[in-house]
Amino acid sequence: MSANSFDARAELAVGPRRFEIYRLDALQSRFDVARLPFSLKILLENLLRAEGNGSVGAADIEALARWDARAEPTAEIAFTPARVLLQDFTGVPVVVDLAAMRDAIGELGGDPAKINPLAPVELVIDHSVSVDVFGTADAFVRNAEREFERNAERYAFLRWGQGAFERFAVVPPDTGICHQVNLEYLARVVFVAEREGEPPLAYPDTLVGTDSHTTMVNGLGVLGWGVGGIEAEAAMLGQPMSMLLPQVVGFRLDGELREGATATDLVLTVTEMLRAKGVVGRFVEFFGPGLVTLPLADRATIGNMSPEFGSTCAIFPIDAETLRYLRFTGRAGEQVELVEAYAREQGLWHDEHSETPVYSDTLELDLGAVESSLAGPRRPQDRIPLSAAQARFREALPSFAGEQAGGAAVAVAGELAHGDVVIAAITSCTNTSNPSVMLAAGLLAKAAVERGLQRKPWVKTSLAPGSRVVTEYLDRAGLTEPLEALGFNLVGYGCTTCIGNSGPLPDEVSQAIGERDLAVAAVLSGNRNFEARIQSEVKMNYLASPPLVVAYAIAGTIDIDLTAEPLGEDRDGQPVYLRDLWPSSRAVADAVAGAVQSDMFRRSYAEVFDGDERWLSLEVPGGDRYAWGESTYVRRPPFFDAMTVEPAPPRDIAAARALALLGDSVTTDHISPAGSIRRDSPAGRYLQEHGVEPAQFNSYGARRGNHEVMMRGTFANVRLRNLLGGAGLPEGGFTRHLPDGEVMAIYDAAMRYAQEGVPLVVIGGKEYGSGSSRDWAAKGTSLLGVRAVIAESFERIHRSNLVGMGVLPLQFAPGESAASLGLSGAETYEIGGFAAPLAAGEHPRELTVSADGSSFRVRLRLDTPMEVEYYRHGGILPYVLRQLLSRA
């Protein structure tokens, strides 16, 4: 069969320019590809182009062209993203691994120059700024200074990488959040590859990112999703991403949002519906007449929270609104013309005449039914109508505060009480990218200040926009001043509170919480509210729209019915209700029209890669191979130590012990090192042994380039509940060393087991590894000596990451669990019988696990032949390295 067996190459004329494209309708005479969902058409073009250069076969294309919407995913395809997006927390270890791979390939006799990104890679530094200073005019400047003081070594390392690696660009600190920068500037929608002696090649812009909320750009019609850092590294090095051809769920939108409803309320409703539907591992695609009523920012808000409802992506098609947004945000006119021409030519354009694609399943939402909501106190899918928020809080309180909670959480004599809001943060890419909710927050603040209302003194307030454009339009609308009057001063351009960089609480608030073991609350405009994520002292966390964040800062408590009770009293002693302050849809629309201007985007992104004086003055090492020193931030990882040219055959797992027995919904926040580093923790002890004082610990996220810190913080979350051996283990990162039963830190137990030559397993429940795409959740698991994880179900990214680190994901049979099988975790485990078939390039679908003589069957979650290869080689990176060596 020829390299171009489907004869799909064609020319596309856009004005005077000529592009080569791979036409999808070239297949229409043989397969009904016109019926395919928008997202699958993008994947089909990706395969056609790959077949054109010989990297995939015609069978892959036919499998997609014949897609059976109802069939369970079994067909494997190879996806080659056009580019890779990184943020600094996940990006630093990616660059660390690439630098270590250069060393390793050189030591094995290969050419270190082979370790270079083959696709464009853009890294945005957004995860490092913390809310140390708040509520003051100089909060942004002081937080930025502290950010550079803490992270100079990391930033210098990234600047070295920018010079050492090709096709690698870095957006410096204090610019914006990666997903908003991607949406407003980096995304192309249609990618153009210039070629010497040939016309440029045009194709859909696609990407993978090392942050789960990469899906935000789905709102722009760009197909992309979050992956682990190890998968991203493989993609950067030209390795196609193996994936099962997914089912696609169509989500029909009708009508339009009612008065007072926000994009946040909409996305919380969508999250609740899709979590209930069950879309893990599926694509979600939006269609229907309601699309035309949703501005691009609302679509991006929905796409952003795809990980919260579990889907791989949540995409909107290209239409007139897409083009309007591209023009408005300063994209070149020629690029916008290309996007429209390409989308129309390829059947990727959506308007009122478009046929509804075939979907695996559908559900529907009348936008007019969306009501004001928040979600919490610990999961994004737990939506609560605002009218029921107080009652739901009181129902949940005993599980956080015990019997002492009683009924209502009323403050006595002005003391802090259960349910008091101690953090109110306008933060995160989810909502700060959306002018309507940001300006609504400003308008509500303006109305509140005019009535004489103030925030409660115990509330730590912050404003962290996703880009500098937000600051400019708030200024232009005259809303910065009233927000600052309520304590919402600019604290930085980054993720801040949404990822746990909320900084310390004021001493008096922290002391009151500790002395009385209070269950206090945070309200934030973010996308995640898992336990211990936002701030270690805050037990209850609620997601809400920016205007509701302002309202709760004024109220000072969750224990209030904002639909019926006053927020406070005005200067004349009259009650002021939320309904008195809430801006009308017309007022918000007028503010957007008057304040948000196209020139803001052109100006903000004119020199986006340049950086300020602090960035440019960093001392940057030279050379193509990194000179590893004694840094406690960046160390050469052990992943390639003692690596051989040929992989060793997989080994059975014998006489293993369980390191942890965990329940349902254990997130990567529970597994991966995150947040602050405690002085008395294994990581804290390590840093002090290396001359780092506790005041200079920084966070786990900032030290992701040092495996010694990260492996010590794996499974160390203060809210982790290890059920191994029954009740009695302290909450946090503790376990029992067996068989003696001694209680110790999980890291310390893992190291003792390593000295004893004992392999380890982890046992989990449903939705194991949900949440952020934290690669260290898998890396740390592997470095602790865990050979397999046995769970009732896995979230997509974490399962893939485990395979990428050479850890076996094993799934209990349907209806079975550790509890139903009577497993306490104190057993000795045997897992075997798969080495020979794996070596032959095949793998069994099920394995038998023996636990102290009794046995049960588990499903082996190596889902594709490529994943079998990764596991055989000990992970993705050793596999890629050996592939590069073989091409020498």
Side-chain angles (χ1 to χ4, degrees):
M1 192 167 285
S2 70
N4 191 23
S5 60
F6 287 99
D7 193 26
R9 296 191 188 204
E11 184 182 87
L12 174 66
V14 184
R17 299 178 298 159
R18 297 291 184 270
F19 300 90
E20 183 174 275
I21 65 170
Y22 281 79
R23 292 182 62 92
L24 297 177
D25 61 8
L27 282 66
Q28 189 64 33
S29 62
R30 297 170 59 183
F31 316 103
D32 185 11
V33 297
R35 71 189 169 89
L36 292 175
F38 173 81
S39 52
L40 295 192
K41 288 181 178 178
I42 295 175
L43 287 182
L44 181 58
E45 189 282 339
N46 198 276
L47 290 178
L48 279 173
R49 200 161 18 91
E51 194 237 3
N53 61 37
S55 59
V56 304
D60 294 335
I61 295 170
E62 186 167 342
L64 178 44
R66 294 186 184 279
W67 178 69
D68 181 350
R70 297 288 183 176
E72 286 296 316
T74 57
E76 180 191 13
I77 62 170
F79 170 55
T80 306
R83 58 191 177 94
V84 175
L85 180 70
L86 310 175
Q87 38 93 332
D88 54 305
F89 269 18
T90 52
V92 166
V94 166
V95 182
V96 165
D97 287 351
L98 291 178
M101 288 179 78
R102 278 194 171 175
D103 290 347
I105 197 171
E107 291 162 5
L108 289 170
D111 180 5
K114 286 182 176 290
I115 307 298
N116 248 321
L118 298 179
V121 180
E122 291 141 341
L123 184 150
V124 181
I125 298 176
D126 63 3
H127 272 53
S128 297
V129 63
S130 182
V131 188
D132 293 298
V133 182
F134 72 99
T136 64
D138 62 348
F140 168 65
V141 172
R142 291 167 64 189
N143 286 329
E145 288 173 349
R146 293 188 185 184
E147 177 186 359
F148 265 87
E149 289 170 4
R150 292 169 175 154
N151 298 290
E153 289 181 44
R154 298 169 63 242
Y155 293 171
F157 175 69
L158 289 176
R159 285 200 59 198
W160 167 81
Q162 189 168 20
F165 295 107
E166 299 173 4
R167 291 172 289 277
F168 177 60
V170 177
V171 176
D174 308 318
T175 302
I177 300 175
C178 64
H179 309 303
Q180 191 158 343
V181 174
N182 191 25
L183 187 77
E184 294 178 351
Y185 180 73
L186 297 174
R188 288 78 155 168
V189 185
V190 173
F191 211 91
V192 176
E194 300 292 341
R195 303 179 298 178
E196 188 174 347
E198 296 183 80
L201 181 64
Y203 50 93
D205 181 13
T206 56
L207 75 155
V208 292
T210 57
D211 189 287
S212 52
H213 295 102
T214 299
T215 50
M216 181 170 175
V217 80
N218 293 168
L220 197 59
V222 175
L223 183 62
W225 54 82
V227 297
I230 44 186
E231 286 183 288
E233 291 167 44
M236 289 161 58
L237 295 170
Q239 180 70 24
M241 301 186 62
S242 175
M243 61 182 288
L244 293 178
L245 188 58
Q247 292 187 337
V248 183
V249 175
F251 197 121
R252 179 184 170 95
L253 298 174
D254 293 297
E256 58 184 313
L257 292 174
R258 64 168 126 174
E259 179 68 30
T262 68
T264 312
D265 304 321
L266 171 58
V267 75
L268 294 179
T269 303
V270 168
T271 299
E272 178 187 43
M273 292 175 65
L274 285 170
R275 243 330 151 176
K277 183 76 172 176
V279 292
V280 173
R282 294 171 158 187
F283 285 10
V284 171
E285 195 167 299
F286 293 88
F287 71 102
L291 282 186
V292 297
T293 71
L294 290 182
L296 202 292
D298 288 16
R299 302 177 187 189
T301 301
I302 295 172
N304 181 286
M305 286 189 69
S306 175
E308 277 59 63
F309 39 86
S311 67
T312 304
C313 66
I315 197 164
F316 289 77
I318 298 169
D319 62 5
E321 172 61 13
T322 313
L323 302 184
R324 184 205 65 79
Y325 184 83
L326 290 173
R327 291 191 190 95
F328 191 76
T329 51
R331 269 64 166 213
E334 295 85 354
Q335 179 67 18
V336 180
E337 291 172 8
L338 172 61
V339 169
E340 180 174 8
Y342 186 89
R344 290 184 181 278
E345 191 75 12
Q346 292 281 59
L348 298 172
W349 180 261
H350 179 271
D351 58 26
E352 67 273 15
H353 306 297
S354 300
E355 294 290 330
T356 299
V358 173
Y359 291 115
S360 305
D361 200 354
T362 59
L363 67 168
E364 185 172 350
L365 173 64
D366 177 3
L367 294 172
V370 173
E371 59 183 320
S372 189
S373 304
L374 60 163
R378 57 162 67 101
R379 298 193 307 176
Q381 64 262 41
D382 295 334
R383 186 187 68 86
I384 306 169
L386 183 62
S387 58
Q390 183 180 48
R392 295 280 187 87
F393 158 72
R394 292 182 176 180
E395 290 171 7
L397 183 58
S399 67
F400 291 89
E403 295 301 320
Q404 60 168 311
V410 180
V412 179
E415 292 183 342
L416 207 64
H418 292 306
D420 278 355
V421 174
V422 296
I423 292 177
I426 301 176
T427 179
S428 131
C429 50
T430 308
N431 287 291
T432 65
S433 61
N434 194 321
S436 65
V437 292
M438 294 299 288
L439 288 167
L443 290 169
L444 191 147
K446 183 172 184 288
V449 170
E450 288 172 350
R451 297 289 296 270
L453 298 182
Q454 298 178 337
R455 69 175 171 94
K456 294 297 186 290
W458 56 81
V459 184
K460 181 174 184 176
T461 45
S462 59
L463 169 65
S467 79
R468 291 176 176 269
V469 173
V470 178
T471 305
E472 192 165 348
Y473 66 63
L474 286 173
D475 285 345
R476 189 175 291 190
L479 298 176
T480 299
E481 189 173 341
L483 282 167
E484 290 178 343
L486 293 178
F488 289 96
N489 299 76
L490 174 69
V491 296
Y493 297 97
C495 304
T496 63
T497 303
C498 188
I499 60 165
N501 285 0
S502 50
L505 296 175
D507 290 343
E508 62 274 15
V509 174
S510 179
Q511 183 177 347
I513 294 170
E515 287 176 350
R516 301 172 55 203
D517 192 23
L518 294 176
V520 293
V523 181
L524 64 149
S525 63
N527 43 47
R528 298 253 164 89
N529 55 343
F530 303 133
E531 288 182 283
R533 177 184 177 92
I534 304 307
Q535 217 278 348
S536 61
E537 296 175 280
V538 179
K539 294 182 178 180
M540 308 179 79
N541 301 292
Y542 293 86
L543 307 180
S545 65
L548 275 182
V549 172
V550 175
Y552 275 109
I554 296 169
T557 180
I558 287 289
D559 190 27
I560 182 174
D561 182 357
L562 289 182
T563 64
E565 297 179 56
L567 280 172
E569 294 182 349
D570 65 14
R571 296 183 183 88
D572 299 323
Q574 296 301 307
V576 180
Y577 295 87
L578 181 62
R579 60 179 176 268
D580 301 329
L581 307 177
W582 198 269
S584 68
S585 298
R586 170 52 57 191
V588 173
D590 288 346
V592 171
V596 187
Q597 302 298 323
S598 183
D599 64 295
M600 297 176 175
F601 297 91
R602 294 184 179 90
R603 189 163 49 250
S604 289
Y605 290 109
E607 299 174 338
V608 68
F609 296 109
D610 293 353
D612 59 17
E613 186 176 331
R614 285 172 299 201
W615 175 255
L616 296 173
S617 64
L618 291 169
E619 292 187 19
V620 181
D624 292 335
R625 288 174 65 172
Y626 189 68
W628 306 99
E630 296 301 317
S631 171
T632 55
Y633 280 96
V634 176
R635 295 185 72 86
R636 175 172 163 167
F639 305 131
F640 309 104
D641 291 356
M643 181 177 163
T644 56
V645 174
E646 293 295 330
R651 295 173 290 125
D652 290 352
I653 301 172
R657 289 290 187 178
L659 188 62
L661 173 66
L662 306 171
D664 295 340
S665 300
V666 170
T667 72
T668 51
D669 278 5
H670 289 104
I671 306 166
S672 179
S676 60
I677 302 171
R678 299 194 318 275
R679 177 196 297 260
D680 60 348
S681 68
R685 294 196 301 269
Y686 165 85
L687 289 172
Q688 290 173 84
E689 289 165 5
H690 285 76
V692 181
E693 295 297 323
Q696 303 303 319
F697 278 1
N698 210 330
S699 65
Y700 280 114
R703 294 191 180 271
R704 283 189 180 191
N706 184 344
H707 64 279
E708 296 285 2
V709 171
M710 299 303 284
M711 64 191 290
R712 285 166 170 79
T714 302
F715 292 111
N717 186 292
V718 296
R719 296 286 178 259
L720 187 77
R721 298 176 181 89
N722 188 357
L723 308 175
L724 191 146
L729 280 174
E731 189 175 43
F734 295 94
T735 193
R736 286 185 172 87
H737 176 268
L738 299 169
D740 55 66
E742 182 180 351
V743 175
M744 60 182 66
I746 282 179
Y747 168 79
D748 293 334
M751 293 304 100
R752 182 181 294 185
Y753 282 126
Q755 291 172 355
E756 297 165 348
V758 176
L760 300 173
V761 299
V762 168
I763 302 172
K766 299 182 182 70
E767 298 177 351
Y768 184 83
S770 58
S772 299
S773 57
R774 299 185 189 276
D775 56 330
W776 268 106
K779 285 182 174 179
T781 298
S782 175
L783 289 177
L784 290 179
V786 175
R787 298 278 305 282
V789 176
I790 310 171
E792 293 178 64
S793 64
F794 292 90
E795 288 286 292
R796 175 185 64 87
I797 296 176
H798 185 60
R799 186 204 62 80
S800 178
N801 282 348
L802 288 173
V803 176
M805 288 307 301
V807 179
L808 273 181
L810 304 174
Q811 193 162 317
F812 286 111
E816 292 188 349
S817 65
S820 72
L821 294 167
L823 300 178
S824 71
E827 302 84 1
T828 301
Y829 295 86
E830 312 278 342
I831 308 169
F834 54 84
L838 284 178
E842 301 175 357
H843 71 291
R845 293 296 177 188
E846 291 187 345
L847 295 175
T848 298
V849 178
S850 174
D852 281 358
S854 64
S855 63
F856 55 93
R857 299 288 283 174
V858 292
R859 181 181 170 196
L860 176 58
R861 290 297 309 277
L862 299 178
D863 290 353
T864 68
M866 199 72 254
E867 288 190 344
V868 175
E869 282 300 292
Y870 292 156
Y871 181 73
R872 278 204 324 115
H873 282 261
I876 290 180
L877 299 184
Y879 171 83
V880 172
L881 197 57
R882 291 188 177 107
Q883 293 296 303
L884 293 171
L885 274 169
S886 69
R887 297 172 194 163

